[in-house]
Amino acid sequence: MATMTAFRPRTLRVDGADVACLHLAAAAPRASVLWVFGSGGGFHGPAGGLYDRLGAALAPDGVTSLQVAYRRPGELGPCVADVLGGVAALVQEVPGPLALVGHSFGGAVVIRAAVASPWVTAVAALSSQAYGTERVGAIAPRPIFLLHGTDDEVLPAACSQDIHSRAGEPKLLLQPRCRHGLDECRDELDRELGAWLRGELLGA
């Protein structure tokens, strides 16, 4: 399966500044996913390139992917603005549902962005921090997917447990035995998140 080579560089303008992105356009788009990483920013995602793998796997079914690299990594407000800029671009280009996926710090970013944007239809937060997720309950009735390793050495699984306790329905929390980067549960993550995205975006 092709991974990062399927994506192409793209630049968005957000608040008058350039935001670096990677874009994978589906030939006949039906839905879209926007992916963001942790506090260090950048591309490709946890578990050795999760975003590349799932983006490539979903594209033949009509799902366009956009990976967003923050202009100011680690700063919650500006990072949310970057995601909302990506959401605006996808809404203009792709019909149908739109999901946000974020890892670690990025989990809080996508939760905040979903609260702010009615265009977001589903949210996935992986190994998420709890700070910045205070309004997660406002996402409901849109679905939220949470996954956190029980052996996370950076952010305890209690962070996602807390988010889950405050989120409205529908919600899902998976806790495999893996560390913060999710490498140890790569196959399970690909399978579970991929199936969830297909269900929410394509009804599959």
Side-chain angles (χ1 to χ4, degrees):
M1 175 67 70
T3 55
M4 60 183 289
T5 56
F7 283 80
R8 295 292 179 263
R10 176 175 177 179
T11 301
L12 296 179
R13 292 288 289 179
V14 178
D15 298 332
D18 288 344
V19 178
C21 302
L22 291 178
H23 186 231
L24 176 54
R30 303 164 52 195
S32 58
V33 183
L34 188 152
W35 317 81
V36 291
F37 214 170
S39 61
F43 298 122
H44 314 306
L50 171 71
Y51 302 165
D52 302 321
R53 293 192 304 273
L54 285 190
L58 290 167
D61 294 322
V63 180
T64 286
S65 282
L66 183 70
Q67 298 185 41
V68 174
Y70 312 124
R71 291 169 295 165
R72 293 158 60 183
E75 298 185 31
L76 192 56
C79 291
V80 172
D82 292 345
V83 169
L84 292 175
V87 167
L90 288 172
V91 166
Q92 291 182 349
E93 299 167 9
V94 181
L98 187 162
L100 304 181
V101 179
H103 175 254
S104 190
F105 167 83
V109 172
V110 296
I111 287 171
R112 280 206 173 186
V115 171
S117 175
W119 298 107
V120 176
T121 55
V123 182
L126 314 173
S127 305
S128 183
Q129 67 180 43
Y131 175 78
T133 69
E134 295 80 9
R135 296 191 59 210
V136 66
I139 292 175
R142 295 170 291 172
I144 182 167
F145 174 103
L146 300 164
L147 186 143
H148 211 120
T150 57
D151 298 330
D152 193 317
E153 77 286 9
V154 176
L155 294 167
C159 291
S160 287
Q161 293 167 353
D162 176 57
I163 295 169
H164 184 264
S165 72
R166 292 182 285 107
E169 299 291 346
K171 57 188 178 182
L172 173 66
L173 173 61
L174 299 177
Q175 298 183 92
R177 294 189 61 83
C178 54
R179 291 160 62 87
H180 188 68
L182 305 176
D183 295 291
E184 299 83 2
C185 54
R186 169 175 166 165
D187 292 343
E188 181 176 0
L189 174 59
D190 284 17
R191 181 177 66 252
E192 297 293 344
L193 180 58
W196 184 84
L197 288 170
R198 288 180 185 279
E200 298 302 334
L201 297 175
L202 305 173

